[in-house]
Amino acid sequence: MGSASDPEELTVLVTGFGPFKENFPVNPSWAIASKLPEYLPPLRPKEVGTSDGPRLPPVRILVHPEPIRVNYQTVRGLVPELWDLEGKSGRPRIDLAVHIGMAGPRPMYQIERRGHRDGYAMKDVDGEFLRDQERHAEEGKDWIWHDMPKELETDLDLDDVLEKWKEHSPHGLDLRISEDAGRYLCDFIYFSSLTHLLKAKKERKVVFLHVPADSSERAITTGRELTVQLIRSLVESELNRRGH
């Protein structure tokens, strides 16, 4: 892991979605992603005498430069580019990725364990269905997800990540692991990344974060802090697993 300029530096890719129909002219996932710092800040002790935690290498937070349109074919075309731009235009290798998306109105923050191949029955923002069942029937072995499992899980240790995330985050917030990413664009981008990495024979170091549908300034500030601490928890968990 690491870039040519700093062999220890880690890079975490973050994406957010654009507006979700008329009800949500501002998608909090992009509002949060766009306000993330360029590098993971040092851990602030919560009280005098607490540990600063393990020493981490520099962690670059690389936010995709624009919100992703809530459109199936846009996502399908974009995901390979997100992972395959390594070394082009000086872009570093992606060590971890966090896709962020909006969930329902309840004030909970969920990291998704798995993505799904099938069951996308809702239209995207452009009124288009995915129609993968018909596409699979027409294309056969050439279908993009032919021979892919119906479910794929992240290779990240989410139980360990959740424990660390709760420890680093402000108290009183509802942080949890979810087993169902919703079979809409959130689930779709997650499964797209998971399958892309599986096909490339790479570890699936990617997770999906669902945030509440609240785009108030207070909610975005909270979401930003929680995303920063999630990134910290992901890096700590991975370094611990590698024996660093």
Side-chain angles (χ1 to χ4, degrees):
M1 294 192 291
S3 66
S5 58
D6 184 346
E8 278 201 340
E9 182 175 294
L10 306 180
T11 299
V12 179
L13 173 70
V14 181
T15 70
F17 278 111
F20 175 63
K21 303 190 177 179
E22 296 174 1
N23 300 346
F24 299 96
V26 176
N27 192 318
S29 68
W30 173 248
I32 290 167
S34 63
K35 290 179 171 58
L36 292 172
E38 187 177 353
Y39 279 85
L40 183 68
L43 182 63
R44 296 189 301 270
K46 290 185 178 177
E47 49 190 79
V48 176
T50 59
S51 167
D52 286 346
R55 188 196 74 81
L56 298 180
V59 178
R60 181 181 180 187
I61 301 174
L62 184 66
V63 179
H64 184 64
E66 58 187 16
I68 297 172
R69 188 166 184 79
V70 183
N71 173 288
Y72 291 114
Q73 299 312 319
T74 296
V75 168
R76 179 159 275 167
L78 176 65
V79 165
E81 295 179 15
L82 294 177
W83 292 101
D84 292 347
L85 282 177
E86 181 180 323
K88 299 176 184 176
S89 304
R91 206 191 79 164
R93 185 177 79 182
I94 303 305
D95 296 299
L96 301 165
V98 180
H99 296 303
I100 310 176
M102 182 186 76
R106 289 192 294 168
M108 66 177 69
Y109 297 81
Q110 303 179 122
I111 45 177
E112 300 292 341
R113 196 186 302 275
R114 57 175 58 85
H116 300 90
R117 186 190 69 187
D118 307 319
Y120 296 93
M122 293 173 62
K123 293 179 180 179
D124 61 24
V125 293
D126 296 306
E128 298 295 329
F129 288 107
L130 178 59
R131 294 193 170 89
D132 256 9
Q133 197 168 352
E134 294 96 316
R135 191 173 282 113
H136 193 189
E138 291 169 6
E139 299 175 6
K141 292 181 180 179
D142 294 329
W143 181 53
I144 187 170
W145 287 346
H146 183 75
D147 286 342
M148 289 292 105
K150 291 185 177 182
E151 292 185 353
L152 269 177
E153 292 188 11
T154 177
D155 281 335
L156 297 164
D157 185 349
L158 291 197
D159 296 293
D160 183 53
V161 169
L162 180 64
E163 186 177 325
K164 290 175 168 55
W165 192 26
K166 287 181 174 179
E167 181 183 326
H168 291 321
S169 298
H171 295 301
L173 294 170
D174 188 352
L175 313 181
R176 59 177 72 180
I177 294 170
S178 165
E179 307 293 346
D180 184 0
R183 287 179 170 81
Y184 193 47
L185 267 296
C186 294
D187 205 338
F188 187 73
I189 196 171
Y190 194 23
F191 192 78
S192 296
S193 272
L194 291 166
T195 54
H196 181 78
L197 293 168
L198 178 65
K199 286 180 176 183
K201 296 181 170 57
K202 294 181 179 179
E203 290 184 297
R204 299 187 295 279
K205 304 298 186 182
V206 55
V207 71
F208 194 95
L209 168 63
H210 260 129
V211 300
D214 185 348
S215 58
S216 67
E217 186 176 346
R218 181 179 179 183
I220 300 309
T221 300
T222 299
R224 177 189 181 277
E225 172 66 14
L226 286 174
T227 304
V228 166
Q229 299 310 336
L230 175 60
I231 291 169
R232 185 186 316 282
S233 303
L234 289 165
V235 171
E236 285 184 4
S237 180
E238 279 304 290
L239 292 178
N240 287 348
R241 192 151 69 161
R242 291 164 191 243
H244 287 257

